[in-house]
Amino acid sequence: MADDGNTAVSAAIGDLADPDPARRAAAAERLCQAGERARSASVDLVRACGDADESVREWAVAALEAIGPPPPTLVPGLAELATARSQLVAYWAITLLGRSGKDAATVLETLTQCVASTDLAVAQRAAWALGRIGPAAAAAVSALRDAASRGDERLTRLATESIAAIGA
Amino acid sequence: MGGKHPDPSRRATGHGRRWFAVACCVMLAAPAAAQQPGGPVVKPWDAVLIASFNIQVFGESKMAKQHVVEVLARVVRKFDIVAIQEVRAKSDDIVPGFVQAVNADGSRYHYVVGPREGRTVSKEQYTFVYDTNRIEVDASSLGVCPNPANAIHRPPMHVRFRTRVTPADQAFTFWLVDIHTDPDEVPQELDALTGTFQAMQSLRPDEDDVILLGDLNAGPPEFGAFRRIPGVGWAVSGVTTNTRRSKTYDNIVFTRPATAEYLGMWGVLDLQNTFGLPLDTALEVSDHNPVWAAFHPCESRQPAATLAGQPPVVR
């Protein structure tokens, strides 16, 4: 993976769908080791966070931690996963949308929906992500104000910081 | 690649030994760390080697790779204490199994491990692996640092250690605080760690040595509020610490004059160079290289050796 570039990343993406959990885990590990070069696998790695196998999930999470912002073309695909039932899938989809900054303004409605999630980790991450969008997230300020009043100290802080970042 | 002494087996010379003579009034032999054939690593008597190592996704799949476990064990045997980040497994057998592998050569390492931390279902644990021949732990001191406002994703684990290579009444005692920051909230977490560090400084009136170490996901230029802690400095500076040799993420942070035991020696143990590994194999071990610093085994009130970010001590 160190020198093979896009071909190896593409092959690993294909292996993430393999019926054999060991092959899926190995693929997630290879993508993890690819670092930022695996950005094109962002959606696939987020989806892998919902895998039934623990090793697949953990390698996918580790890969996503190090992968940086996704390519802008993947924003719609990530938005589809942001409302997934799996906490880990939703959390990481939202995290990558947050890293996308202004590019995630096109999926503002989805992120605004997520900030009202009953899962606090998801709601907190959505509040953070909206702030990363900046002024283009002005339509989410009302939802952020609601979030700030839910009584969770961290959610309140993140929502308040994001409102400030949006400039409302 | 690395710091002043990329390989901890390269012994203290000059500055470190002179400081030792002043501080402890006892001159001990300083044998070079060496691997005895078929036996454990022999470490120097006049330095305690403390390391930090983010072992990426340290779980069942990594433990299943014998060649990876062997490299990890060889890393640990070079140091007296290794603060490890990223134990990720539902099983409780990972760390005990690893320490068993470390001790396969006759070494006598043990460990303390913290609770699973994290906001999602994906959790991590901190662990300290230490050489019981040279280090002992205050079992009652193991804890998780307070985390006001839930500011830190994985609140640090703290443990108090004491060296065993000198008489107990002269032994260097110190807190180690193990941390792995969230890469998406680094500035906020570093700000929060400022409070954590200062809280640790006052946790026990009889302990002034607080050493925070781990994967900060930031180099010194990004330390922000952390720089405002009086006397703060860091061992690792001006070098990369990740396996790809592109980023400075890991460090060992403490203050002076409190931690006068710092010998001014530190390094990055480059996995590729040290073990002759190609990048692919080194990345199987981890995406981080271990970082380390050397401390005197005797408690001292002498000024510490120069820390990065701090001017030299003038006496």
Side-chain angles (χ1 to χ4, degrees), chain A residues 26-118:
Chain A
E29 181 177 354
R30 294 200 304 278
L31 289 168
C32 188
Q33 290 166 2
E36 295 175 356
R37 290 184 299 124
R39 283 179 181 172
S40 61
S42 294
V43 171
D44 309 273
L45 285 166
V46 169
R47 195 175 288 119
C49 290
D51 198 284
D53 183 81
E54 179 189 3
S55 287
V56 178
R57 295 194 303 271
E58 295 298 351
W59 280 112
V61 167
L64 290 165
E65 283 187 349
I67 208 170
T73 54
L74 297 185
V75 164
L78 290 167
E80 287 180 20
L81 298 174
T83 53
R85 290 179 62 184
S86 161
Q87 179 207 47
L88 209 52
V89 172
Y91 179 90
W92 278 104
I94 293 165
T95 298
L96 265 62
L97 290 172
R99 289 180 191 171
S100 300
K102 289 186 291 186
D103 289 334
T106 56
V107 296
L108 187 63
E109 191 174 336
T110 300
L111 283 174
T112 305
Q113 179 185 341
C114 292
V115 84
S117 171
T118 55

Side-chain angles (χ1 to χ4, degrees), chain B residues 199-229:
Chain B
M200 289 302 302
Q201 286 179 306
S202 58
L203 192 58
R204 284 179 63 128
D206 60 341
E207 185 56 79
D208 63 345
D209 295 303
V210 178
I211 301 170
L212 182 144
L213 69 176
D215 175 6
L216 299 172
N217 275 301
E222 294 93 44
F223 280 1
F226 221 84
R227 289 172 169 269
R228 294 197 289 272
I229 297 174

Side-chain angles (χ1 to χ4, degrees), chain B residues 12-132:
Chain B
T13 57
H15 182 96
R17 287 196 193 184
R18 285 197 300 274
W19 185 90
F20 176 80
V22 170
C24 281
C25 303
V26 177
M27 183 55 76
L28 301 175
Q35 176 81 48
Q36 291 179 333
V41 172
V42 177
K43 301 195 186 84
W45 286 100
D46 62 350
V48 173
L49 304 174
I50 298 175
S52 171
F53 193 11
N54 179 326
I55 305 178
Q56 185 185 38
V57 191
F58 193 20
E60 291 182 357
S61 64
K62 188 154 286 188
M63 283 298 290
K65 295 180 177 179
Q66 187 56 42
H67 65 289
V68 170
V69 173
E70 181 54 35
V71 172
L72 292 171
R74 290 173 65 189
V75 167
V76 167
R77 291 182 199 126
K78 290 178 178 288
F79 303 104
D80 294 305
I81 308 174
V82 182
I84 293 171
Q85 302 93 43
E86 273 210 48
V87 176
R88 290 199 206 204
K90 286 185 174 173
S91 165
D92 290 326
D93 298 335
I94 300 301
V95 178
F98 174 59
V99 172
Q100 192 172 17
V102 172
N103 290 338
D105 72 336
S107 297
R108 296 180 58 190
Y109 281 80
H110 197 48
Y111 66 92
V112 288
V113 63
R116 291 177 174 81
E117 302 279 4
R119 297 190 179 110
T120 68
V121 294
S122 176
K123 309 288 187 188
E124 295 183 17
Q125 290 172 283
Y126 300 112
T127 185
F128 291 101
V129 179
Y130 61 98
D131 184 348
T132 60

